[in-house]
Amino acid sequence: MKITSRYEHPHEHFQMQKFKDLAVEFEMARWVKEVYFDSSFSICYIYFDVRVAEGSWIANQVKSMAERTINQFEMFGVIYHGTEPG
């Protein structure tokens, strides 16, 4: 899973790394192609493997992990709010 940030702010990488750690732990990392934090909008975009459908069990698991690790994120065109890990 590729993780990148527009301006490389440390708090963005911290959130993305926490997300990636959970995805690896629960064997979901293979379904996420990229996590990109757009610093200008303070939003993290989660890009899935093409086989993952919106509303699928996999997408819902990934959303749950993102809610626990990322402050604001987008999946399938919808913006969600989670919690920033401490």
Side-chain angles (χ1 to χ4, degrees):
M1 171 190 322
K2 180 179 175 183
I3 59 174
T4 57
S5 169
R6 179 179 290 225
Y7 296 125
E8 304 296 326
H9 295 306
H11 71 280
E12 296 167 353
H13 273 284
F14 179 76
Q15 291 179 51
M16 291 187 294
Q17 188 60 52
K18 288 293 186 184
F19 171 79
K20 183 176 181 177
D21 292 346
L22 267 183
V24 168
E25 180 181 343
F26 290 99
E27 300 180 0
M28 292 282 129
R30 66 185 167 140
W31 301 110
V32 179
K33 288 176 54 176
E34 182 178 359
V35 180
Y36 170 70
F37 213 116
D38 189 335
S39 308
S40 296
F41 298 103
S42 296
I43 191 163
C44 187
Y45 293 90
I46 299 173
Y47 298 103
F48 288 92
D49 180 280
V50 295
R51 296 171 289 174
V52 178
E54 182 176 2
S56 67
W57 179 83
I58 293 167
N60 290 334
Q61 289 294 104
V62 170
K63 179 179 176 259
S64 178
M65 289 184 286
E67 288 173 331
R68 294 171 48 192
T69 56
I70 301 172
N71 191 29
Q72 183 171 250
F73 61 96
E74 186 270 353
M75 291 176 28
F76 299 106
V78 179
I79 296 172
Y80 298 96
H81 293 89
T83 58
E84 187 170 346

